């Protein structure tokens, strides 16, 4: 009865609707296997629950087989099988967003690339959001590459030592952790095969001893003639006692800048000697009260910074710089403090030092020094600077000639404090003395300005009351 109704329906319309009109009995073979899954998803609608109730089922053509070649029950059952494959393809597409890339971040306006120094994680390790996974070493600072999402590191795309630019892909992170393999099992089988191969070679070695009895000790004579020229040749240490290590980008940058300083500037250094008695007495008398109020210890460095500010205000040419055929005078004083770290020399900057008091200077120096030792200084904290102070005294240096930090025009060198016999009021007394040195660019600064500046440093350090009276 059902078939009779269907055939009557087909005879009246003689059409099957499947995207295009065609005869029910003449379903085009071209449809078989020629439609993509995407097309079937968009056009084919299954209505199996209404089988026997909805006559529209008769107008559906089974993919790959003409309608008249199989019963409707078989067609519907095969359609269910094809529908399961559609569900699989959809789940695969949903997983396409599981992988995210960890890329090199922006490193600063003046830095175009860096070197991938080291990986902090390994493939298969789980990471959190913004957790560092690698370090990029630049000319100035070390920058971390952070994970953009929480997940598992699937693989590293770059290698240690590669030169990378901002936006370069470094690693692939799997948010679900699927597809990450440790490759431990495949490495074990070869280890088992290796010993099996080692067992076979032992038999041949016994055959080799017979030729060895022929021995070549008599040929020890040839080395004798070579001993004669060896007397004139230098005896170099063996290469296995040497180590070759690539120079870091920071060290290469420092070397380049210092050599450029020697090649460009007309370097000249003037010296003086400072009596540290009054400044050390000031620190010992007020260090406890200073710490209770400001929460930071009173050091000698803040006294020299204040003295340098006073000297630069009295001699503005030392705070200036040559730019082509012009001289740029700066109306601000940004003092750079040279800090030696295990990775190299860095020079963080104290901004607007002329506006700071002793406590603010000490807090800023402590903060910058901690960041320098931790390698967390930013580009902004080291950019600029109009004058530099280098304290070699912390390492025990008695006297040195510091090199200017380009593009600045001068640098002040501090040294160790040594008790010396000095003539004070006509009497010889022991005094804590320090040598100070000023290296300056003689193209811009004359000896007169350099000596006056260094004398101002000496006057202020030996008598800090001058700062209160501005004399």
């Amino acid at each position: 009865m059902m078939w009779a109704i269907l055939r009557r329906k087909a005879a009246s319309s003689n059409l099957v609707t499947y995207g295009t009109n065609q005869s029910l009995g003449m379903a085009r073979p071209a449809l078989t296997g020629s439609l993509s899954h995407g097309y079937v998803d968009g056009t084919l609608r299954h209505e199996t629950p209404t089988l026997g109730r909805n006559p529209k089922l008769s107008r559906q053509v089974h993919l790959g087989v003409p309608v008249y070649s199989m019963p409707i029950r078989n067609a519907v059952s095969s359609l269910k099988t094809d529908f399961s494959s559609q569900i699989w393809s959809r789940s695969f597409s949903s997983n396409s967003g599981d992988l995210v890339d960890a890329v090199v971040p922006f490193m600063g306006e003046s830095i175009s690339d860096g070197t991938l120094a080291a990986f902090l994680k390994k493939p298969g390790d789980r990471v959190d959001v913004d957790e560092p996974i690698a370090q990029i070493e630049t000319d100035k600072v070390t920058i971390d590459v952070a994970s953009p999402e929480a997940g598992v590191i699937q693989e590293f795309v770059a290698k240690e030592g590669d030169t990378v630019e901002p936006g370069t892909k470094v690693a692939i992170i799997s948010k679900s952790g699927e597809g990450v393999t440790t490759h431990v099992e495949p490495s074990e089988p070869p280890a088992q095969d290796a010993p099996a191969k080692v067992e076979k070679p032992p038999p041949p070695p016994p055959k080799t001893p017979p030729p060895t009895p022929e021995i070549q000790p008599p040929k020890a004579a040839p080395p004798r003639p070579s001993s004669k020229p060896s007397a004139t040749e230098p005896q170099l240490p063996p290469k296995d006692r040497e180590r070759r290590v690539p120079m870091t980008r920071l060290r290469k940058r420092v070397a380049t800048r210092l050599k450029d300083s020697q090649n460009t500037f007309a370097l000249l250094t003037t010296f003086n000697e400072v009596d540290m008695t009054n400044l050390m007495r000031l620190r010992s008398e007020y260090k406890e009260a200073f710490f209770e109020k400001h929460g930071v210890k009173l050091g000698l460095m803040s006294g020299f910074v204040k003295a340098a500010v006073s000297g630069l205000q009295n001699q503005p040419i030392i705070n200036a710089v040559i730019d082509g055929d012009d001289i740029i005078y700066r109306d601000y004083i940004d003092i750079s403090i040279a800090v030696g770290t295990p990775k190299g020399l860095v020079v963080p900057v104290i901004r607007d030092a002329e506006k700071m008091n002793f406590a603010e200077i000490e807090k800023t120096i402590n903060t910058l020094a901690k960041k320098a030792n931790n390698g967390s200084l930013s580009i902004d904290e080291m950019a600029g600077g109009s004058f530099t102070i280098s304290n070699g005294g912390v390492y025990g240096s008695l006297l040195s000639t510091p090199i200017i930090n380009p593009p600045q025009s001068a640098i002040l060198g501090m040294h160790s404090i040594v008790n010396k016999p000095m003539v004070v009021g006509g009497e010889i007394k022991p005094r804590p003395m320090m040598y100070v040195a000023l290296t300056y660019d003689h193209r811009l600064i004359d000896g007169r300005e350099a000596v006056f500046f260094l004398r101002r440093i000496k006057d202020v350090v030996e008598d800090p009351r001058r700062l209160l009276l501005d004399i």
Side-chain angles (χ1 to χ4, degrees):
M1 185 66 179
M2 181 68 177
W3 278 105
I5 296 173
L6 291 176
R7 289 187 179 277
R8 250 196 316 286
K9 197 77 171 172
S12 61
S13 62
N14 197 29
L15 293 174
V16 176
T17 304
Y18 187 79
T20 58
N21 295 332
Q22 58 185 12
S23 173
L24 177 63
M26 299 292 292
R28 295 182 182 177
L31 287 175
T32 62
S34 63
L35 295 179
S36 64
H37 288 285
Y39 183 79
V40 174
D41 268 340
T43 60
L44 190 58
R45 298 180 182 177
H46 300 280
E47 301 180 10
T48 53
T50 61
L51 183 61
R53 303 176 188 176
N54 192 345
K56 291 183 180 179
L57 271 176
S58 63
R59 294 203 290 269
Q60 295 185 358
V61 178
H62 175 60
L63 180 62
V65 182
V67 172
Y68 59 81
S69 65
M70 63 170 62
I72 290 181
R73 290 183 181 178
N74 295 345
V76 172
S77 63
S78 64
L79 286 175
K80 292 180 180 179
T81 304
D82 185 62
F83 183 68
S84 65
S85 66
Q86 295 173 14
I87 295 176
W88 175 84
S89 65
R90 288 177 182 175
S91 64
F92 176 79
S93 63
S94 66
N95 287 342
S96 62
D98 178 62
L99 302 179
V100 293
D101 298 334
V103 299
V104 178
F106 177 71
M107 297 182 288
E109 296 181 358
S110 60
I111 300 178
S112 59
D113 58 17
T115 301
L116 184 56
F119 288 111
L120 305 179
K121 300 288 183 179
K122 296 181 294 183
D125 289 352
R126 180 164 293 279
V127 293
D128 297 327
V129 180
D130 296 332
E131 183 177 357
I133 61 175
Q135 287 185 335
I136 306 297
E137 189 177 74
T138 68
D139 298 343
K140 298 180 179 179
V141 295
T142 300
I143 299 174
D144 292 333
V145 178
S147 173
E149 297 286 347
V152 178
I153 299 177
Q154 188 177 63
E155 64 173 324
F156 288 121
V157 180
K159 299 179 181 179
E160 291 185 359
D162 289 354
T163 300
V164 294
E165 299 177 352
T168 302
K169 185 192 298 185
V170 173
I172 299 177
I173 309 296
S174 174
K175 293 188 288 185
S176 63
E178 297 179 357
V180 179
T181 58
T182 57
H183 303 287
V184 174
E185 297 179 356
S187 62
E188 295 176 355
Q192 298 174 353
D193 297 342
K197 296 179 180 178
V198 174
E199 296 175 357
K200 297 178 181 179
K207 299 179 181 179
T208 54
T212 52
E214 298 177 1
I215 299 179
Q216 298 174 350
K219 294 183 180 180
R224 293 178 181 175
S226 63
S227 61
K228 295 180 181 179
S230 65
T232 57
E233 295 177 358
Q235 297 296 328
L236 300 177
K239 295 296 183 181
D240 57 358
R241 297 175 59 188
E242 298 177 350
R243 291 183 299 112
R244 183 182 293 271
V245 179
M247 187 180 295
T248 62
R249 293 179 67 95
L250 178 59
R251 175 52 57 188
K252 287 191 288 186
R253 181 61 174 170
V254 171
T256 301
R257 287 175 63 85
L258 294 181
K259 188 57 183 174
D260 290 343
S261 177
Q262 285 185 327
N263 296 338
T264 304
F265 299 155
L267 300 177
L268 187 60
T269 305
T270 183
F271 302 91
N272 213 319
E273 198 172 19
V274 179
D275 187 347
M276 300 292 295
T277 302
N278 291 331
L279 185 59
M280 294 177 67
R281 183 184 298 159
L282 177 69
R283 183 181 65 171
S284 62
E285 290 180 359
Y286 295 100
K287 63 180 180 181
E288 295 181 0
F290 188 87
F291 181 79
E292 290 178 0
K293 181 175 181 179
H294 302 290
V296 64
K297 294 182 180 180
L298 177 61
L300 299 178
M301 199 65 188
S302 57
F304 275 90
V305 171
K306 295 293 290 183
V309 168
S310 178
L312 293 173
Q313 291 173 338
N314 289 345
Q315 303 295 331
I317 191 63
I318 296 179
N319 199 42
V321 65
I322 295 177
D323 184 16
D325 295 331
D326 301 326
I327 299 176
I328 299 177
Y329 288 90
R330 301 183 176 103
D331 295 330
Y332 60 89
I333 298 177
D334 289 349
I335 295 184
S336 305
I337 305 295
V339 180
T341 67
K343 294 184 178 181
L345 182 68
V346 294
V347 191
V349 181
I350 302 176
R351 306 287 181 189
D352 297 324
E354 75 278 9
K355 301 178 182 178
M356 294 184 177
N357 56 28
F358 280 81
E360 293 171 339
I361 293 174
E362 289 291 350
K363 291 178 181 178
T364 304
I365 292 175
N366 287 344
T367 301
L368 295 176
K370 290 179 181 178
K371 288 186 176 182
N373 292 325
N374 296 335
S376 59
L377 283 172
S378 65
I379 299 297
D380 294 337
E381 289 172 329
M382 292 193 296
S386 58
F387 183 77
T388 298
I389 298 178
S390 176
N391 186 8
V394 295
Y395 307 111
S397 173
L398 179 64
L399 190 62
S400 67
T401 56
I403 300 178
I404 296 175
N405 178 26
Q408 300 173 12
S409 299
I411 179 173
L412 175 67
M414 299 169 53
H415 302 92
S416 59
I417 301 173
V418 180
N419 285 324
K420 292 184 178 181
M422 303 295 295
V423 178
V424 180
E427 298 180 1
I428 299 178
K429 296 182 179 180
R431 291 286 188 174
M433 304 299 295
M434 174 193 290
Y435 287 117
V436 290
L438 178 70
T439 299
Y440 57 96
D441 185 1
H442 210 346
R443 299 177 305 164
L444 177 65
I445 304 169
D446 294 330
R448 175 177 175 272
E449 287 81 6
V451 172
F452 283 172
F453 173 85
L454 208 55
R455 271 306 293 263
R456 182 62 182 176
I457 296 289
K458 176 180 173 66
D459 293 341
V460 171
V461 171
E462 290 184 345
D463 188 3
R465 294 174 298 180
R466 290 176 175 271
L467 295 174
L468 298 176
L469 302 176
D470 193 19
I471 58 173

